[in-house]
Amino acid sequence: MTSPLKQLVLIETALLGLFILLGNGLRSVATMTVSVSQGEFASFLNISVERTDILIEVLIGGAVMALAIAPFVISSKTARRVCIATASLASACYAAVGLTMHWDPTLSVREIIILASFCLGGFAISFFAPLAQLAISQAKTDREKSLLTTIWTAAQPIAFLIAPQLVKYVAFDVGTGNYFLILAALPMLFLVIMPVVMKAADHHAPDETTPKPKTNWKPVILFLLVVISFEAWTTANSFAGVESMLGLGLMAVFLAFAICLYLGARSWIPRDANLPSDAIFLLAVLFILEIPTTGVYDTAYLVRHLCTSSLIDDRATLGAASQVLMVFGAGALIARNPHWRERLWLIAIPCLIISSIATIFYPYPATDALLFYWTKMLSSIGIGIATTLVVSAVIASANGNKLITLAPAFVIMFGTEVGIELLEITFQVSKLAGLDVTKAYQMVFVVQVAAVLLATVLLIWRHFAPMTRPAAAA
């Protein structure tokens, strides 16, 4: 290979890496802006604290809906059009927020613009993550796929690391309006890189030459109804309570749609469909592991018990930094030796088990700072390794299956939201049962432990199941 050709390959790989980092990173920064406390978030946007609940719901709900729709609208043929449309919409939404901050209208007008902009902006920018996954799946070598997958996986904890600092320091230094105008320019950078990346992707895309059967839209519509009904139910829980008739009614609607989707799944999947069962199983495990690693109630517990803001901020920073290091470390090991995918579970799962069990013993009043630090770091190490293992295995085994390739972004985001909502239901039910606040938090932590143990049992069962099949057949 000539020197100019080597330089061209390096430039192309660097641009692809930047495309992937921006893809999952910008989506994460947009959604993780809400990781600061409600009071700080309300002050940051100059809106009422009561409206932050609605804002968080519509932001996360919009992101989940985008990731649910993405596999059905994104392909190598449509990627450029989707990228242009979503980048333009995201830039327009964040520019609208920036201009509103400079305009400084009445509170009611500002809240309406911010709610609409965050909802549509979060929806649009969430398409960046599956677009980046599509680019990864079309890489030329397994080693390149492993490297790019690591970058994609690391983008989210990097966003956890920098988003609160951007909100607390950069935004107030440059002005909140200017901050959102700068944020509005970043999707345009993603858009500028897109022609180079997608040009290479189009050339290698497997579905350009392979005829595709017509899409059966019935399961797609039903799947989207499941997601929409879940969003409606959880929103009702947040504002009306888990015992409200509205919440219970929407829960019944959600369960009805979910049961219909489950019962019809077998008849809708073609018999000759070559679905990677290991990848689907690992996605299910990752979904379960997202429940105890949201960190929402761990942080809420510390806020409730008057821990200093510096302790909470430092704890979050150390956790995010640990996760970034583990993602790159696990990615490097897998790139050198794919057999490490199995062995690294022996590090990830014990870290998650120990950290989740330790939360049950959080002291009241909250005084043991060291316990808070190392539990967060262990949890971040565990989920960082687990996410890297699952995403790399899924992309490696997708074999051109678009639904499987684009699934990790949805599973991570939806699993996080399900975790938040499940723990909120646990907390509300515990208080309705007469438990005091500290005991209610402990019940939340018990559910987190149960989720980790469930994932562990599934992994052990899956590991030993192949060993028992020959004996059973004999």
Side-chain angles (χ1 to χ4, degrees):
M1 186 181 291
T2 62
S3 180
L5 187 56
K6 282 184 179 179
Q7 292 176 355
L8 182 62
V9 171
L10 287 174
I11 292 172
E12 182 181 316
T13 303
L15 286 173
L16 184 56
L18 181 58
F19 182 83
I20 289 162
L21 183 64
L22 286 173
N24 204 23
L26 286 177
R27 188 268 303 177
S28 300
V29 167
T31 54
M32 287 309 113
T33 298
V34 301
S35 60
V36 296
S37 70
Q38 272 195 325
E40 289 175 312
F41 193 43
S43 174
F44 171 58
L45 293 176
N46 197 17
I47 60 176
S48 61
V49 175
E50 292 76 15
R51 291 293 183 269
T52 59
D53 284 325
I54 301 175
L55 187 57
I56 292 169
E57 289 285 349
V58 299
L59 177 59
I60 296 178
V64 170
M65 282 303 302
L67 295 173
I69 294 170
F72 308 107
V73 298
I74 294 177
S75 68
S76 58
K77 291 182 179 180
T78 63
R80 290 189 183 189
R81 294 195 297 273
V82 172
C83 188
I84 292 170
T86 55
S88 301
L89 178 58
S91 287
C93 288
Y94 294 122
V97 176
L99 293 173
T100 300
M101 294 300 173
H102 284 294
W103 174 31
D104 194 24
T106 61
L107 178 62
S108 58
V109 173
R110 182 166 56 249
E111 288 178 342
I112 290 171
I113 294 175
I114 288 174
L115 285 171
S117 298
F118 266 70
C119 180
L120 291 174
F123 174 81
I125 210 165
S126 292
F127 280 92
F128 287 15
L131 283 167
Q133 284 179 297
L134 181 65
I136 294 171
S137 69
Q138 296 162 344
K140 299 173 185 177
T141 65
D142 290 339
R143 190 177 183 85
E144 189 178 6
K145 281 185 180 180
S146 296
L147 171 63
L148 297 174
T149 300
T150 301
I151 294 173
W152 187 91
T153 309
Q156 183 170 351
I158 289 173
F160 270 107
L161 193 61
I162 67 172
Q165 280 67 37
L166 290 175
V167 171
K168 291 182 179 180
Y169 305 112
V170 177
F172 287 109
D173 285 343
V174 303
T176 309
N178 292 332
Y179 171 82
F180 278 101
L181 290 176
I182 294 171
L183 186 61
L186 292 178
M188 291 297 102
L189 177 59
F190 186 79
L191 190 57
V192 168
I193 303 172
M194 178 270 299
V196 178
V197 175
M198 289 305 172
K199 182 178 180 180
D202 287 347
H203 179 69
H204 297 284
D207 61 334
E208 288 292 324
T209 56
T210 305
K212 293 289 183 181
K214 291 184 178 179
T215 302
N216 181 3
W217 288 103
K218 186 176 180 180
V220 174
I221 293 172
L222 190 54
F223 169 69
L224 294 178
L225 287 174
V226 169
V227 176
I228 292 170
S229 60
F230 176 82
E231 296 295 335
W233 171 41
T234 54
T235 301
N237 286 341
S238 298
F239 296 107
V242 295
E243 79 282 7
S244 69
M245 292 303 297
L246 177 61
L248 293 174
L250 289 172
M251 179 185 70
V253 172
F254 162 69
L255 291 176
F257 283 137
I259 291 170
C260 290
L261 181 64
Y262 175 77
L263 294 177
R266 288 189 178 182
S267 62
W268 290 323
I269 298 174
R271 293 185 179 181
D272 58 348
N274 186 21
L275 295 177
S277 59
D278 287 342
I280 294 172
F281 170 78
L282 288 174
L283 285 172
V285 169
L286 181 61
F287 179 85
I288 296 170
L289 289 177
E290 289 296 329
I291 294 173
T293 53
T294 61
V296 171
Y297 275 87
D298 300 32
T299 304
Y301 181 91
L302 302 185
V303 173
R304 179 84 184 185
H305 295 302
L306 304 179
C307 290
T308 63
S309 59
S310 60
L311 184 152
I312 296 171
D313 292 343
D314 292 344
R315 179 176 178 269
T317 300
L318 288 172
S322 300
Q323 190 169 344
V324 171
L325 290 174
M326 287 302 103
V327 167
F328 280 112
L333 284 173
I334 294 170
R336 285 180 170 271
N337 187 351
H339 294 295
W340 274 96
R341 280 201 188 104
E342 293 286 337
R343 300 170 187 171
L344 285 173
W345 281 111
L346 299 177
I347 300 175
I349 291 300
C351 286
L352 290 169
I353 291 175
I354 293 170
S355 60
S356 61
I357 291 176
T359 58
I360 300 176
F361 300 99
Y362 275 0
Y364 177 78
T367 54
D368 189 353
L370 184 60
L371 176 62
F372 302 141
Y373 286 133
W374 71 255
T375 52
K376 181 63 175 178
M377 293 173 69
L378 269 185
S379 175
S380 299
I381 288 170
I383 196 62
I385 295 174
T387 304
T388 305
L389 296 176
V390 174
V391 174
S392 63
V394 168
I395 291 179
S397 63
N399 295 323
N401 188 314
K402 186 178 64 173
L403 292 177
I404 300 299
T405 298
L406 303 184
F410 173 76
V411 168
I412 292 170
M413 192 70 195
F414 193 53
T416 300
E417 186 179 15
V418 169
I420 292 172
E421 301 300 341
L422 179 62
L423 298 181
E424 180 183 354
I425 291 171
T426 302
F427 187 76
Q428 288 194 31
V429 169
S430 298
K431 291 178 69 177
L432 289 173
L435 299 180
D436 61 33
V437 173
T438 301
K439 293 294 183 182
Y441 275 112
Q442 287 181 336
M443 290 305 299
V444 168
F445 298 151
V446 168
V447 171
Q448 293 182 167
V449 174
V452 176
L453 293 179
L454 174 59
T456 304
V457 169
L458 289 175
L459 286 168
I460 294 172
W461 170 79
R462 186 74 172 189
H463 178 74
F464 287 106
M467 302 179 185
T468 60
R469 285 171 192 158

